[in-house]
Amino acid sequence: MLRTALRNILAHKARLVMTVLAVCLGVAFVCGTLVFADSTAAAHRAAASKNFADIAVTVTAKEPPPGGSPDQHTSVLDDALVRKLAAVPGVAAVRPSVDGSAALNAADGTPLRTGKSGSNLAGAYVPDKGGTDSRYPLLKGHAPRNSGELALDSGTAAAGHLRIGDSVTLATDGPVMTKRLAGIVSTKDTRVTAGGTLTLFDKATAQKLFATPGHYTAIDLSAAPGTDQFALSRLVTGMLPAERAEATTGAAQANQQAILVDTLTRGYEKLPMVFAGVALFIGSFLIINTFTMLVARRAREIALLRAVGASRRQVAGSILLEALLVGLAASAAGFLLGLGIAAVLPDILSTGATTLPHGPLVIGPRPVAAALVVGVGVTLLAAWLPSRQAAKVAPVEAMRSAAQPPATARPRIRAVVGLVLLVAAAGLLISLTGAKDASEENLRSAMLGCAVLVVALIVLAPLLAAPVIRLTGRLTGGFGIVGRLARENALRDPRRTAATAATLMISTALVTGLAVIGNSTGQALDRQAAAGLGADYVISSRTTMTGIDPAALGRVAGTSGVRTAAAVTDSTMVAGGHVRTISGIDPDSVNAVMKLDFTSGSAKDIGPGRIALSSTVAREHGVRAGGRIDVRMGRSQDLEKYTVVGVYKDNPLAHDVLGARSEVAQHSFLPGSVQRLLVRTEGGAASKPLQEQLRTAVGNSPLLKVQDRGELVDEAAGVVSGLLDVMYGMLAIGVVIGALGIVNTLAMSVAERTREIGALRAIGMDRAGIRRMIRLEAATVAAFGTLLGLAGGVFGAWAVGALANGALEQYSLVLPWGTLLLVCLLSLVIGTAAAAVPARRAAALSPLEAVAEG
């Protein structure tokens, strides 16, 4: 049976190549992602180890206890302690440091943004006895010498288009500063190389900004040759005040930093894994179809094996052995392709703001095992049903003179099972539409319902093939007898047609669902911004710990073209055990900058002791206008009764509760601060010049954002944009595997119909007619899969999208007709293009040889 399996593989190697390619794609994404993850983690650790290579021990201040003063703890790190540590046996050098955070503006005055893996690091350039700081080798210029100069790392300077001598606008946690760029340095700090920025000041300036004069935030110690850093750490710890400072080894710091950056970049692994799952799921249908067709073609051969003594188990084992060998070949090819994917992923996923570290590929046992388990496992599972079908071939089949049409037994069972699954999926999804709650539990139920819906469509596809293809076949009927033959060929074996169309159906359903949800969510966000925002600009802080200078309100209000400027102070409020966000605003200006829809009461009555609630908060607490509610606001530890003067429909700009700004500011964690400025223009429209004037009015601070409505919508739709990227990736994978399935099916179908094609050629059909017939058959199959996919995708998107009403009141189903039309056209084009090779082969058959064959 082993020789039989090998002979069959060699005899049908061209057919099986398509199967190998389909499995290979899934294996490649899995292995490539795992190798990429291991290699990136190793590169992070290597970079962190280099960064801390010269550091044996670092001394830092401990966090103060609740109510304690941070200055009392950092004051221990002074020059006296530096001299004391320098005298410790085994210490080769001592380097104090002052670290903090600083945000920068680029050369054009816009904030210099970091990647999601980076930080706005700042510190002191502390020269050693040689006059340089070995942590930051100078590339250009000189080190900062006074309070008016700074140095930047090369990546930050390049991203901001800054050159030596340029004026750099920056801010730490206070007013905007302007300093001259004196030098450009390099760094191995992975927090910077992963997309962050690094700003260096002279020691005195850094101490003033991030500590206190004469004090440091950390002290690094280098060990003398032969000194163990762990032993040195224990020795240093014994010299420190235990309650105020601590010592950490350089190895521990390198490991912590590598883990931190690795955790931040781990999200990059998810997208390739999604593609891998889609490729394997869709590819499994290609495997089932291929082996089913091979078994059907070899019915007489299998019957002969049964006639000469082969058992059913041996026949099934032979098919599974073929699948095993195919799976091994696909795993090997996928593993090699995965190494290529892993090598290019850092460049693909890196952006101008986020650069992933490069390093040698790390090939561990995990990706090798995954290649074998995924490739072989998926192939064997997909080939199990065809192997059972092969085992059922009776020896009497060997005596038949011609191949028999495939059995269509048990259509009732298929219909019953399919309808039960369809009703279950539809019932679950429809029941969720009334929930309007995007909780994790409901989302899981929605995903389960969508999965069951896809399975139901797959089960019912052979039964739906005939009516749907007869309907779509009217379009091919316009091509005359060639079109009618193409339709009948597609109807000849509904199970094969359904299995071939399944690949396109699944990918189309996924893409359609994501496209509908993405388009509906994007338009809902746009409507929500328009409905809730009466202002034309929102000025806000980039960090939660930094507010806006209250004096900026006057400068913004005095800017030419500004009609109304309102300050908003955000804080927290605890009511009924739930933490809510309260927005403090002046009642006189609220209606000018916010579009609030009050169901009862109004905003004009807001004042000290009087608040307005969103409809969600009011409903949860059972409070209406005129009622009272116990509240603990901001830093206050006391519960106080507040009168509810109004209830408004949920509004993201107003958050959960509206109060008087004068009162909210008193209880804010940043007393007297302002978190947002809402600006209404004279003409009621945004313009670039006015936006620049507003940025100037707030001091061009890189800590602040000046956004118009469009930018607010784009920011809120960031997740939706990510979903659309996934959608197009899935579309590409589905198209590739779907094309492979059509090529494979048509190629085997042409081989089965050799005599029939020869007869058509003999009675006068020319080569062009044969090619057109095969292409139309492919287009018919593609149209069938696309229609089912569109129907399933739209229904699933409707059900899943209904849950968004709980978090996005403006959500409603909006079909992206352009995208859906593009999907339809692309599927038909791909289906027709995939038939090119089988059509050419069919047209090349000689009529006499084709009729004589068999």
Side-chain angles (χ1 to χ4, degrees):
M1 299 306 292
L2 175 60
R3 288 195 298 271
T4 301
L6 290 173
R7 180 182 62 79
N8 285 328
I9 288 178
L10 293 175
H12 303 95
K13 54 183 179 294
R15 312 284 183 262
L16 293 174
V17 163
M18 302 296 178
T19 301
V20 169
L21 287 175
V23 180
C24 174
L25 284 174
V27 173
F29 277 111
V30 172
C31 295
T33 302
L34 294 176
V35 172
F36 162 73
D38 293 341
S39 303
T40 303
H44 282 317
R45 292 190 180 91
S49 296
K50 290 179 181 178
N51 196 38
F52 291 94
D54 298 329
I55 299 176
V57 177
T58 296
V59 178
T60 55
K62 286 186 176 181
E63 289 290 332
S69 172
D71 292 341
Q72 290 180 346
H73 276 242
T74 56
S75 63
V76 69
L77 305 181
D78 55 12
D79 290 320
L81 181 60
V82 171
R83 292 191 294 269
K84 184 178 179 181
L85 293 175
V88 173
V91 173
V94 180
R95 185 187 300 277
S97 61
V98 188
D99 299 319
S101 176
L104 308 168
N105 276 342
D108 60 1
T110 59
L112 186 58
R113 299 179 180 180
T114 64
K116 69 176 182 179
S117 309
S119 308
N120 291 315
L121 301 182
Y125 186 94
V126 184
D128 53 21
K129 295 179 181 179
T132 61
D133 190 332
S134 58
R135 297 170 300 176
Y136 312 116
L138 274 166
L139 301 178
K140 294 181 181 179
H142 59 80
R145 298 168 179 167
N146 53 57
S147 61
E149 296 181 340
L150 57 75
L152 300 175
D153 73 284
S154 57
T156 302
H161 305 287
L162 297 167
R163 300 178 180 179
I164 298 294
D166 286 352
S167 293
V168 181
T169 304
L170 71 152
T172 53
D173 59 355
V176 176
M177 299 174 285
T178 301
K179 299 183 183 296
R180 176 179 171 274
L181 178 58
I184 295 177
V185 303
S186 63
T187 180
K188 298 174 183 176
D189 194 325
T190 52
R191 294 170 296 177
V192 179
T193 58
T197 63
L198 174 65
T199 308
L200 298 175
F201 307 94
D202 67 285
K203 185 173 70 173
T205 302
Q207 287 177 330
K208 182 179 178 181
L209 291 173
F210 309 122
T212 55
H215 296 90
Y216 308 97
T217 58
I219 302 174
D220 297 328
L221 309 179
S222 298
T227 302
D228 179 70
Q229 62 178 245
F230 295 97
L232 183 60
S233 177
R234 289 192 294 270
L235 182 60
V236 170
T237 299
M239 301 176 55
L240 300 173
E243 71 281 358
R244 298 174 63 189
E246 61 184 348
T248 309
T249 63
Q253 294 178 78
N255 188 54
Q256 290 173 2
Q257 183 171 316
I259 292 174
L260 172 63
V261 180
D262 186 46
T263 301
L264 291 172
T265 56
R266 194 171 296 164
Y268 291 122
E269 302 173 25
K270 296 179 182 178
L271 190 60
M273 279 298 187
V274 170
F275 291 163
V278 172
L280 290 169
F281 184 63
I282 298 177
S284 62
F285 291 92
L286 176 55
I287 301 170
I288 293 173
N289 203 24
T290 299
F291 277 95
T292 300
M293 295 176 70
L294 287 175
V295 167
R297 286 202 65 198
R298 286 154 44 190
R300 293 180 63 189
E301 175 188 329
I302 293 171
L304 284 172
L305 290 174
R306 294 278 286 114
V308 297
S311 65
R312 290 189 173 187
R313 179 175 296 179
Q314 286 178 312
V315 171
S318 175
I319 301 297
L320 290 176
L321 182 58
E322 291 181 39
L324 173 63
L325 297 175
V326 169
L328 288 172
S331 297
F335 182 77
L336 294 176
L337 181 59
L339 295 182
I341 291 176
V344 300
L345 270 179
D347 293 324
I348 294 175
L349 297 177
S350 294
T351 64
T354 303
T355 303
L356 296 178
H358 286 266
L361 294 180
V362 177
I363 305 173
R366 192 170 59 147
V368 176
L372 292 173
V373 171
V374 172
V376 175
V378 169
T379 309
L380 286 176
L381 285 175
W384 180 70
L385 286 175
S387 71
R388 291 192 61 193
Q389 181 183 347
K392 294 178 182 178
V393 176
V396 72
E397 294 289 335
M399 295 184 292
R400 298 188 184 275
S401 60
Q404 298 299 308
T408 57
R410 301 180 180 176
R412 292 181 181 177
I413 296 177
R414 177 183 289 272
V416 170
V417 172
L419 287 175
V420 168
L421 290 173
L422 184 62
V423 170
L428 177 58
L429 292 174
I430 291 174
S431 67
L432 291 172
T433 59
K436 295 186 178 181
D437 177 14
S439 65
E440 187 175 348
E441 182 180 355
N442 283 340
L443 286 175
R444 277 203 213 99
S445 299
M447 293 300 104
L448 175 63
C450 291
V452 176
L453 176 63
V454 170
V455 173
L457 290 177
I458 292 170
V459 173
L460 291 173
L463 304 178
L464 296 173
V468 174
I469 288 178
R470 285 195 178 95
L471 178 64
T472 58
R474 295 181 179 179
L475 299 177
T476 60
F479 292 89
I481 187 63
V482 173
R484 291 195 292 274
L485 285 173
R487 181 186 62 192
E488 295 305 318
N489 286 335
L491 290 171
R492 179 179 300 182
D493 187 351
R495 292 176 62 184
R496 178 190 299 176
T497 299
T500 305
T503 55
L504 282 175
M505 181 190 73
I506 296 169
S507 59
T508 302
L510 287 171
V511 171
T512 300
L514 285 174
V516 171
I517 292 175
N519 184 65
S520 302
T521 303
Q523 294 203 24
L525 289 170
D526 199 0
R527 287 193 298 272
Q528 182 169 278
L533 180 63
D536 300 299
Y537 290 98
V538 176
I539 303 174
S540 59
S541 174
R542 294 182 180 276
T543 65
T544 57
M545 298 305 295
T546 305
I548 303 173
D549 179 11
L553 176 63
R555 297 195 298 270
V556 169
T559 301
S560 176
V562 172
R563 177 181 176 183
T564 306
V568 181
T569 297
D570 294 323
S571 186
T572 58
M573 185 192 82
V574 179
H578 298 284
V579 179
R580 303 295 183 184
T581 301
I582 181 169
S583 299
I585 192 168
D586 297 324
D588 295 337
S589 60
V590 63
N591 290 326
V593 294
M594 291 184 184
K595 293 181 180 178
L596 297 174
D597 186 1
F598 275 84
T599 57
S600 61
S602 67
K604 66 180 182 180
D605 295 323
I606 293 174
R610 301 188 302 274
I611 57 176
L613 305 180
S614 67
S615 56
T616 297
V617 175
R619 184 171 56 251
E620 288 179 355
H621 293 277
V623 182
R624 293 182 295 181
R628 294 175 69 82
I629 185 173
D630 291 329
V631 166
R632 188 172 72 248
M633 191 180 297
R635 297 176 300 151
S636 175
Q637 300 299 316
D638 301 324
L639 276 176
E640 299 181 20
K641 284 193 176 295
Y642 279 77
T643 301
V644 177
V645 298
V647 176
Y648 56 89
K649 290 185 178 180
D650 290 1
N651 187 311
L653 198 66
H655 294 311
D656 303 314
V657 184
L658 272 178
R661 186 167 73 91
S662 58
E663 183 176 29
V664 175
Q666 293 176 3
H667 298 287
S668 173
F669 291 96
L670 297 172
S673 67
V674 172
Q675 275 66 54
R676 290 176 290 161
L677 294 177
L678 307 182
V679 181
R680 182 84 174 269
T681 63
E682 291 288 355
S687 66
K688 203 68 177 177
L690 179 56
Q691 190 169 13
E692 294 299 327
Q693 292 178 36
L694 292 176
R695 179 164 291 286
T696 301
V698 293
N700 283 321
S701 174
L703 295 174
L704 302 181
K705 297 183 291 185
V706 181
Q707 298 172 292
D708 59 24
R709 294 189 189 188
E711 290 168 334
L712 286 169
V713 171
D714 292 341
E715 184 178 71
V719 175
V720 178
S721 299
L723 277 176
L724 294 178
D725 291 339
V726 173
M727 176 193 74
Y728 293 124
M730 288 181 177
L731 176 61
I733 291 176
V735 164
V736 171
I737 299 179
L740 292 176
I742 293 175
V743 170
N744 211 21
T745 301
L746 289 178
M748 300 182 77
S749 178
V750 166
E752 287 180 0
R753 288 150 43 193
T754 299
R755 297 182 66 187
E756 175 188 323
I757 293 172
L760 290 173
R761 292 279 288 116
I763 62 176
M765 184 175 286
D766 58 11
R767 296 179 185 272
I770 296 293
R771 288 195 295 268
R772 192 178 302 115
M773 179 183 69
I774 301 298
R775 291 195 185 103
L776 288 174
E777 181 181 349
T780 301
V781 173
F784 171 59
T786 302
L787 286 176
L788 282 188
L790 285 172
V794 170
F795 180 76
W798 168 74
V800 174
L803 297 177
N805 280 333
L808 199 59
E809 190 176 352
Q810 300 289 335
Y811 184 92
S812 62
L813 187 72
V814 181
L815 297 181
W817 293 108
T819 302
L820 298 183
L821 179 61
L822 178 63
V823 169
C824 292
L825 292 176
L826 187 60
S827 296
L828 293 176
V829 170
I830 291 298
T832 305
V837 174
R840 190 179 301 113
R841 180 182 176 187
L845 290 174
S846 168
L848 294 178
E849 293 178 0
V851 172
E853 189 172 319

